């Protein structure tokens, strides 16, 4: 398992701690490079070292994964606050981020570590091309494919967060030490070409010993990532002259949808990765089951004492209890309306949206579940109580970040087919996703609704990607690329206001919610979240049995879901503020090559 494998390699030591945006890497002798990249075990260590940059303290681990991807119409940082809107954490969420942000304006944060990972990848790609004998050694070709793909992963996330960024596709040198922002279209086209090349090198999932784990890049993931990048490249984005589609004819939406269609359908048709149950996927993730061939296509690997995935996105534990020795979780959670967006029979609802946490009071070392609040739901896809080991670290849980799963490939295929005018074919790719979570009659009803027209199916894609991927940080880039982020965010504020007042679709929801105070994660019982769950006789029975209850909508004679929470979801227009600025420390060290003008007006601190 890679959790115990990653180690620093010979060449990567030259870039440890370097932010390639302002520093040059020491030169490597031709002899050293040829020795390393002509030997599989040494070359493999070089490629694996790219992962080190994912796990650095302020990289993906502690800055990007916790903060990028919220706030949206389905997820937010628990909880937003308009009155606190200028704080460092709130302003990372609420589309009002300044270059001096205290969480990010350091030379060792995610922006720097991403370029550190790119430098490691560039060194590996250069060395493997020169000395890897990839034409005659398929395992060395696999390594080249992995390096190209990992570099594409990092650039994908750089563009999502910062828009146009410096393009570095060669190792650092005095000639490329200081670079300005590069038009992202140039980068997208390079990445699409790189991934088309990588497909020819990488083995399918579980095809051999190298790709038997989801912690190694396989062809299924390469194709899925190429599809995702095509959809981003062909979609809307915030650019120097506004929020718009690309003007590059090579990135026209129909061309990008055709790439996505082809790549996704080839993955599905090959069958080396297969859908399982919705819950099963997350159980396997929490149990460190990294066997390839299931739904998980690729995961960012974290060692057992590294990574803040459950810490950020898991169900909260307020104490060290029977399930964990880490009192964390619940930093991010569902927007409260999300629970009510699901059909009551949709099994995704009670897995994704959790109205409880594990309490601070212990009896013989055991905690019991206790209700949270209307404004503070938990994501339940990731749970300490599902793990097969006890977390003992204070801040790190070691659960991998699932970067892509097969359900995404199915829904990208459905979206692409519909946008290319093939709505009936598109339904064939959406149906397997719904078959596993809804009764057959309700799947048939959705088929009639979604396939009524191309526009209706497009709305179905918007809806199902929200319900399927909430809490997986895919929604924000989806809303941006579709060009609907402003409308959806405004709609969410209106829905939250209606929920707070129990008007419209939320009229008639019960006053109180009841929870059985169980110590057993397999025995969670809740009453009162749905309309009609306010039977007085039944409630008397619950009270007699010692169930916990809570006023769900009213607190201290006022709405529990306050205007301050609702208004804190976003504080400026999302579409024109959906990028982070490059942080001040990198601007100052860029030899006047970098600035933030044209991102969303001239930023000042």
């Amino acid at each position: 398992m890679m959790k115990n494998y990653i180690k620093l390699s010979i060449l990567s030591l030259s870039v440890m701690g370097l932010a390639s945006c302002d520093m040059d890497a020491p030169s490597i002798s031709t002899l050293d490079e040829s020795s390393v990249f002509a030997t599989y075990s040494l070359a493999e260590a070089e490629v694996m070292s790219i992962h080190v940059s994912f796990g650095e303290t302020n990289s993906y681990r502690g800055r990007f994964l916790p903060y990028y991807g919220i706030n949206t119409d389905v997820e937010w940082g628990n909880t937003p606050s308009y009155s606190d809107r200028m704080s460092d954490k709130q302003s990372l969420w609420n589309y009002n981020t300044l270059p001096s942000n205290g969480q990010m304006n350091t030379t060792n944060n995610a922006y720097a570590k991403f370029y550190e990972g790119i430098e490691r990848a560039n060194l590996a790609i250069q060395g493997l091309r020169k000395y890897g004998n990839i034409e005659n050694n398929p395992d060395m070709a696999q390594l080249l494919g992995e390096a190209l793909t990992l570099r594409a992963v990092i650039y994908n996330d750089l563009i999502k967060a910062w828009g146009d960024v410096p393009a570095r596709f060669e190792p650092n040198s005095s000639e490329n030490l200081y670079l300005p922002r590069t038009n992202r279209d140039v980068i997208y086209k390079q990445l699409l070409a790189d991934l088309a090349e990588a497909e020819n090198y990488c083995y399918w999932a579980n095809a051999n010993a190298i790709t038997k784990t989801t912690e190694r890049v396989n062809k299924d993931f390469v194709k899925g990532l190429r599809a995702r990048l095509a959809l981003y490249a062909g979609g809307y984005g915030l650019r120097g002259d506004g929020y718009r589609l690309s003007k590059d004819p090579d990135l026209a939406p129909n061309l990008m949808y055709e790439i996505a269609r082809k790549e996704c359908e080839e993955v599905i048709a090959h069958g080396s990765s297969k859908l399982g149950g919705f819950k099963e996927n997350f159980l396997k993730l929490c149990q460190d089951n990294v066997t390839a061939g299931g739904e998980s296509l690729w995961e960012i690997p974290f060692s057992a004492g590294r990574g803040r995935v459950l810490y950020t996105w898991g169900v909260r534990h307020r104490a060290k209890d029977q399930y964990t020795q880490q009192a964390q979780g619940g930093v991010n959670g569902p927007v409260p309306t999300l629970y009510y967006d699901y059909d009551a029979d949709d099994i995704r609802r009670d897995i994704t949206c959790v109205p409880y946490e594990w309490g601070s009071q212990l009896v013989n070392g055991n905690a019991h579940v206790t209700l949270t609040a209307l404004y503070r739901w938990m994501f339940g896809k990731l749970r300490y109580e599902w793990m097969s080991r006890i977390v003992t670290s204070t801040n790190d849980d070691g659960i991998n970040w699932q970067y892509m799963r097969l359900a995404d490939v199915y829904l990208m295929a459905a979206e692409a087919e519909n946008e290319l005018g093939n709505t009936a074919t598109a339904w064939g790719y959406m149906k397997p996703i719904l078959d596993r979570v809804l009764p057959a009659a309700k799947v048939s009803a959705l088929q009639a609704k979604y396939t009524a027209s191309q526009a209706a199916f497009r709305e179905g894609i918007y809806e199902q990607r929200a319900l399927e991927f909430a809490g997986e940080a895919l929604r924000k880039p989806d809303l941006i690329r579709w060009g609907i982020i402003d409308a959806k965010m405004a709609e969410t504020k209106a829905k939250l206001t209606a929920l707070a007042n129990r008007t419209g679709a939320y009229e008639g929801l019960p006053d109180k919610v009841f929870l059985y105070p169980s110590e057993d994660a397999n025995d969670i019982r809740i009453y009162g979240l749905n309309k009609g769950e306010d039977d007085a006789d039944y409630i008397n029975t619950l009270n007699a049995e010692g169930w916990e209850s809570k006023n769900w909508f009213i607190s201290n004679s006022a709405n529990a879901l306050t205007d301050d929470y609702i208004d804190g979801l976003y504080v400026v227009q999302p579409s024109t503020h959906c990028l982070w600025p490059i942080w001040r420390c990198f601007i100052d060290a860029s030899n006047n090559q970098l600035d933030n003008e044209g991102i969303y007006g001239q930023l000042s601190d």
Side-chain angles (χ1 to χ4, degrees):
M1 183 182 295
M2 190 179 297
K3 288 178 180 290
N4 299 314
Y5 176 80
I6 296 174
K7 56 183 179 293
L8 293 185
S9 57
I10 300 168
L11 302 187
S12 65
L13 287 170
S14 68
V15 296
M16 272 300 293
L18 299 181
S20 64
C21 51
D22 62 1
M23 298 185 71
D24 194 12
S27 62
I28 305 297
S29 72
T30 302
L31 178 61
D32 290 338
E33 190 179 21
S34 63
S35 299
V36 169
F37 290 107
T39 305
Y40 178 82
S41 61
L42 297 178
E44 182 184 45
E46 290 298 323
V47 174
M48 294 305 97
S49 78
I50 300 167
H51 296 89
V52 175
S53 297
F54 290 92
E56 298 277 9
T57 296
N58 292 329
S59 184
Y60 279 87
R61 168 201 173 267
R63 290 296 183 267
F64 190 75
L65 295 180
Y67 295 126
Y68 184 81
I70 50 175
N71 293 351
T72 72
D73 58 340
V74 299
E75 51 221 346
W76 66 9
N78 258 333
T79 53
S81 169
Y82 185 81
S83 61
D84 195 30
R85 63 191 178 278
M86 296 304 295
S87 70
D88 288 334
K89 289 187 178 181
Q90 291 287 336
S91 63
L92 282 174
W93 304 340
N94 65 19
Y95 302 86
N96 192 33
T97 316
L98 294 177
S100 59
N101 184 277
Q103 290 287 310
M104 295 292 196
N105 187 33
T106 61
T107 57
N108 68 343
N109 78 74
Y111 182 84
K113 293 302 175 182
F114 285 11
Y115 277 104
E116 178 186 278
I118 287 169
E119 176 67 2
R120 286 187 166 116
N122 286 341
L123 288 167
I125 291 165
Q126 175 181 271
L128 285 162
R129 289 197 191 282
K130 286 183 180 179
Y131 305 109
N133 191 24
I134 61 172
E135 296 83 2
N136 300 306
N137 189 329
D139 287 356
M140 291 294 241
Q142 162 75 26
L143 292 179
L144 177 56
E146 287 190 75
L148 289 166
T149 303
L150 293 174
R151 185 173 69 179
V153 164
I154 299 171
Y155 268 119
N156 172 43
D157 290 329
L158 274 168
I159 293 172
K160 285 192 311 185
W162 290 281
D164 296 341
V165 294
R168 293 183 176 277
F169 290 100
E170 300 292 338
N172 290 352
S173 69
S174 57
E175 285 76 27
N176 67 4
L177 185 56
Y178 299 107
L179 295 176
R181 291 179 184 261
T182 303
N183 187 322
R184 76 197 66 175
D185 292 347
V186 174
I187 301 175
Y188 274 134
K189 288 195 285 188
Q190 178 68 54
L191 300 181
L192 290 171
D194 286 348
L195 292 172
E197 180 185 3
E199 288 180 13
N200 297 322
Y201 302 148
C202 291
Y203 299 113
W204 290 100
N206 216 16
N208 64 9
I210 298 175
T211 59
K212 68 180 180 180
T213 164
T214 56
E215 296 179 328
R216 294 293 295 267
V217 168
N218 56 55
K219 187 177 294 192
D220 307 55
F221 173 61
V222 177
K223 286 178 169 291
L225 180 61
R226 190 164 186 257
R228 181 181 287 179
L229 284 170
L231 295 182
Y232 290 165
Y236 284 82
L238 178 58
R239 297 169 181 267
D241 59 351
Y243 178 62
R244 60 169 175 82
L245 297 172
S246 170
K247 296 177 182 178
D248 190 324
D250 292 338
L251 300 178
N254 277 6
L255 296 178
M256 297 299 98
Y257 276 119
E258 179 56 37
I259 288 175
R261 181 202 65 76
K262 173 181 177 294
E263 298 291 7
C264 292
E265 291 181 7
E266 287 181 1
V267 172
I268 295 166
H270 189 267
S272 45
S273 296
K274 294 179 173 60
L275 288 172
F278 181 78
K279 182 178 179 180
E280 175 192 5
N281 172 73
F282 300 105
L283 283 172
K284 290 172 68 175
L285 186 62
C286 290
Q287 293 168 0
D288 301 324
N289 184 337
V290 295
T291 303
E295 182 161 349
S296 185
L297 299 187
W298 182 70
E299 300 166 12
I300 294 178
F302 289 115
S303 66
R306 204 65 176 158
R308 288 187 172 191
V309 174
L310 283 179
Y311 177 107
T312 305
W313 296 90
V315 176
R316 185 176 184 180
H317 288 242
R318 287 189 172 271
K320 299 177 180 180
D321 58 29
Q322 67 269 39
Y323 294 111
T324 179
Q325 292 299 290
Q326 180 183 91
Q328 299 290 356
V331 175
N332 298 333
V335 171
T337 51
L338 178 61
Y339 177 86
Y340 303 96
D341 290 338
Y342 287 97
D343 186 284
D345 290 329
D346 192 330
I347 69 167
R348 295 175 297 189
R349 184 188 69 170
D350 294 338
I351 294 171
T352 304
C353 301
V354 172
Y356 62 81
E357 60 190 11
W358 293 87
S360 58
Q361 295 183 353
L362 300 180
V363 177
N364 297 323
N366 292 349
H368 68 264
V369 289
T370 184
L371 289 165
T372 53
L374 175 61
Y375 56 84
R376 192 178 174 85
W377 288 72
M378 302 285 147
F379 281 120
K381 289 178 174 178
L382 301 171
R383 311 186 189 195
Y384 292 94
E385 50 270 35
W386 284 350
M387 294 181 66
S388 54
R389 57 182 168 85
I390 297 292
V391 174
T392 57
S393 169
T394 302
N395 292 323
D396 293 80
D397 49 73
I399 296 299
N400 288 350
W401 178 258
Q402 191 170 65
Y403 200 86
M404 180 176 286
R405 56 188 176 95
L406 190 61
D408 193 6
V409 173
Y410 273 86
L411 289 179
M412 286 192 291
E415 178 181 349
E417 286 285 10
N418 183 63
E419 294 302 328
L420 293 170
N422 308 314
T423 302
T425 304
W427 171 253
Y429 291 109
M430 181 182 281
K431 187 176 185 295
I433 303 302
L434 300 182
D435 281 342
R436 66 180 185 170
V437 297
L438 285 166
K442 293 192 172 181
V443 174
S444 295
L446 287 176
Q447 178 180 6
K449 175 183 176 182
Y450 291 159
T451 60
S453 67
Q454 184 186 50
F457 197 90
R458 185 179 299 124
E459 291 294 326
I461 288 289
Y462 297 163
E463 180 176 60
Q464 289 305 322
R465 286 189 68 87
L467 301 178
E468 182 72 23
F469 301 118
E472 299 179 52
L474 292 177
R475 188 62 171 176
K476 183 176 180 179
D478 275 350
L479 294 178
I480 292 169
R481 71 179 176 86
W482 288 326
I484 63 172
I485 188 169
D486 291 342
K488 282 294 185 183
M489 296 297 280
E491 176 187 305
T492 301
K493 277 193 177 181
K495 288 169 63 176
L496 286 167
T497 299
L499 178 63
N501 296 303
R502 282 183 288 178
T503 60
Y506 310 105
E507 185 177 359
L509 286 171
D511 295 332
K512 287 189 174 184
V513 173
F514 296 79
L515 174 72
Y516 178 69
S518 177
E519 298 179 3
D520 183 354
N522 296 312
D523 182 28
I524 308 297
R525 288 174 269 169
I526 304 168
Y527 182 79
L529 288 172
N530 303 298
K531 292 180 183 180
E533 292 184 346
D534 52 5
D535 180 87
D537 291 338
Y538 187 66
I539 288 173
N540 286 336
T541 300
L542 300 183
N543 287 332
E545 293 177 354
W547 284 47
E548 172 189 331
S549 67
K550 189 168 192 174
N551 290 325
W552 201 239
F553 289 93
I554 302 298
S555 177
N556 297 321
S557 302
N559 283 348
L561 181 57
T562 66
D563 289 343
D564 183 62
Y565 296 143
I566 296 169
D567 291 337
L569 181 67
Y570 64 94
V571 301
V572 292
Q573 185 177 351
S575 67
T576 58
H577 290 72
C578 58
L579 294 174
W580 284 338
I582 294 177
W583 314 119
R584 176 61 56 197
C585 61
F586 302 113
I587 299 290
D588 292 344
S590 70
N591 199 27
N592 296 317
Q593 292 297 301
L594 295 175
D595 60 51
N596 286 308
E597 294 185 31
I599 300 305
Y600 40 87
Q602 185 168 355
L603 289 159
S604 63
D605 299 334

